[in-house]
Amino acid sequence: MSIPSKTNPFHLPIKGRGTANNLAGRFAITLVEVDENDENVALLETSSPKTEVRYERAKSIISRNNSPDVPFRQSINPYKGCEHGCIYCFARPTHAYLDLSPGLDFETRLVAKTNAAYLFEEELAHPNYRCEPIALGINTDAYQPIEKELKITRELLQIALAHHQPISLITKSTLILRDIDILAQMAEKKLVHVAISVTTLDNDLKRILEPRTASGATRLKVIQTLREARIPVSVLAAPVIPFINDHELEEIVAASAKVGAQSINYIMLRLPHEIAPLFADWLQQHYPDRADHVLQRIMDMRGGKLYDSRFGKRMTGEGLFADLINQRFHVARRKYGLDDNRLSFLDCRQFKVPPKEGDQMPLF
């Protein structure tokens, strides 16, 4: 795969959004082209679009996978799309299945699964269900801004606590502290593990890379607060981006250890499907002097391509630079005593099958 062409200058940055590019998804049947010289269209493109939320009655809620690259087999995503607007988000291509753009649509046209809690309890009660840890908010952040009002994630945690279903969470939001009452109770029973994503400690970089997220310093405070409540917390330094944030790796490890994180892992930048042109566009807007250098180094780690989907390679890459990052990470992790505990301590033995419908007192 060749390096994507230079960005179209027509896609001017939108403050508070990860991208202004609304490129068509890979399943789109028709493409719409606009006149770059039309001043009215250019003004529309650079204005800040409001977030729209569609409410969906999902048919099922627990997803399953058999990937050897992730430490869980079951997951729940209460939302589709994510207002955080992280340009690198690996979930962006899923918006193509909704006939929406993985670009601007992904962060402005969201879907909320309003019956998630009901389905969760129903599926836990199914005769064929066997208790295993469930990862909550994997594709898109379960604590993105709309959760503050909708409280779907909180309802899911209430169900998990009531039936002693182990949960792992990953977020980059301070909103998780709202639910510290539930999380602390789950932690006492070894039913929860939280991972906080820390991509950068540079606020200037954060504003363009992850525009609607908490700062790195604030995320460190979240880790400290959770640990003070005796909630298990690990850190995910992700994604590591060559010549953009890779120089911060040791600093993130050290800062995470200082605030009490118990373990840390990292993931190299992944650019599947539509993320590749979106990220190339972002580079040309914000780092035109090094854009080609960054993309070439990514290709060096991906066998000459921008993405390698092979299990065992897609999270870390290969080659000299990938090996160097791996060595630096493990040296830093050993230095600061951060192990890789993953989900091994979550206790499934306490699981309680929900009572049959009609025999249960309402939770809400």
Side-chain angles (χ1 to χ4, degrees):
M1 180 184 295
S2 60
I3 295 176
S5 60
K6 298 289 192 295
T7 185
N8 182 346
F10 189 60
H11 297 131
L12 300 176
I14 299 176
K15 184 177 180 180
R17 296 297 183 183
T19 181
N21 190 336
N22 228 16
L23 82 173
R26 60 197 180 283
F27 305 119
I29 298 175
T30 59
L31 300 177
V32 177
E33 294 186 358
V34 296
D35 183 357
E36 298 178 17
N37 297 315
D38 188 331
E39 294 182 358
N40 293 324
V41 176
L43 180 62
L44 179 63
E45 284 284 310
T46 56
S47 62
S48 182
K50 293 182 179 180
T51 301
E52 301 175 11
V53 183
R54 188 179 77 198
Y55 302 100
E56 173 185 272
R57 303 287 292 179
K59 295 181 179 179
S60 62
I61 198 64
I62 301 177
S63 300
R64 293 172 174 83
N65 77 86
N66 58 0
S67 170
D69 286 337
V70 294
F72 59 86
R73 293 197 294 180
Q74 300 188 131
S75 62
I76 291 177
N77 292 290
Y79 303 105
K80 298 176 184 176
C82 186
E83 197 174 1
H84 280 160
C86 305
I87 188 60
Y88 56 76
C89 182
F90 69 87
R92 282 184 179 272
T94 61
H95 242 45
Y97 293 106
L98 306 179
D99 198 25
L100 294 171
S101 170
L104 188 58
D105 282 349
F106 176 79
E107 50 193 280
T108 60
R109 302 178 69 179
L110 313 178
V111 177
K113 302 175 185 178
T114 56
N115 62 336
Y118 171 81
L119 286 176
F120 186 30
E121 193 164 40
E122 187 177 64
E123 292 179 29
L124 291 181
H126 194 281
N128 292 334
Y129 180 74
R130 297 294 178 267
C131 182
E132 294 182 29
I134 293 177
L136 180 56
I138 295 302
N139 270 356
T140 56
D141 202 315
Y143 285 105
Q144 61 178 286
I146 58 173
E147 166 62 18
K148 184 175 183 179
E149 176 184 352
L150 298 181
K151 300 180 180 179
I152 298 174
T153 297
R154 183 173 176 85
E155 291 178 356
L156 291 168
L157 290 176
Q158 288 175 316
I159 294 288
L161 175 60
H163 305 300
H164 293 180
Q165 166 62 53
I167 294 288
S168 64
L169 277 162
I170 181 168
T171 184
K172 55 189 67 171
S173 172
T174 60
L175 187 56
I176 191 173
L177 297 181
R178 178 201 64 188
D179 296 337
I180 202 167
D181 57 329
I182 301 176
L183 297 173
Q185 292 179 69
M186 295 182 72
E188 288 181 1
K189 303 176 185 296
K190 297 184 179 181
L191 296 176
V192 71
H193 172 269
V194 174
I196 302 297
S197 172
V198 181
T199 313
T200 179
L201 300 177
D202 180 341
N203 281 340
D204 291 334
L205 175 57
K206 198 272 328 168
R207 290 187 192 100
I208 57 176
L209 188 65
E210 308 169 323
R212 297 198 174 195
T213 64
S215 68
T218 300
R219 295 182 214 181
L220 293 174
K221 292 179 181 177
V222 169
I223 295 168
Q224 185 173 17
T225 302
L226 292 171
R227 289 299 298 130
E228 289 171 352
R230 299 185 179 181
I231 296 166
V233 183
S234 64
V235 171
L236 188 61
V240 176
I241 308 173
F243 309 120
I244 300 295
N245 72 341
D246 65 286
H247 63 282
E248 296 187 70
L249 188 57
E250 288 84 356
E251 184 181 3
I252 290 173
V253 174
S256 300
K258 185 176 181 179
V259 295
Q262 296 166 295
S263 63
I264 189 167
N265 280 283
Y266 79 98
I267 297 176
M268 292 300 301
L269 177 68
R270 299 159 54 193
L271 297 176
H273 303 301
E274 295 89 351
I275 306 178
L278 286 170
F279 184 72
D281 187 70
W282 179 88
L283 280 174
Q284 290 291 345
Q285 287 175 350
H286 299 289
Y287 295 99
D289 59 325
R290 69 183 91 164
D292 288 347
H293 199 30
V294 172
L295 293 174
Q296 186 60 60
R297 183 52 55 90
I298 292 170
M299 293 172 67
D300 291 344
M301 294 189 296
R302 304 293 186 185
K305 301 179 292 184
L306 284 175
Y307 184 57
D308 182 354
S309 62
R310 290 179 297 163
F311 290 146
K313 301 295 182 182
R314 59 183 181 150
M315 299 296 190
T316 58
E318 58 185 347
L320 292 177
F321 187 80
D323 290 344
L324 177 60
I325 292 292
N326 191 51
Q327 291 171 17
R328 285 172 51 196
F329 171 76
H330 282 90
V331 168
R333 189 167 72 168
R334 285 194 300 270
K335 178 179 179 179
Y336 294 102
L338 296 179
D339 298 321
D340 181 9
N341 294 321
R342 298 254 174 164
L343 306 180
S344 58
F345 57 88
L346 293 181
D347 189 356
C348 295
R349 297 170 297 178
Q350 306 174 58
F351 177 70
K352 299 177 181 178
V353 178
K356 295 180 180 179
E357 187 174 352
D359 298 335
Q360 183 177 9
M361 294 295 291
L363 285 173
F364 312 110

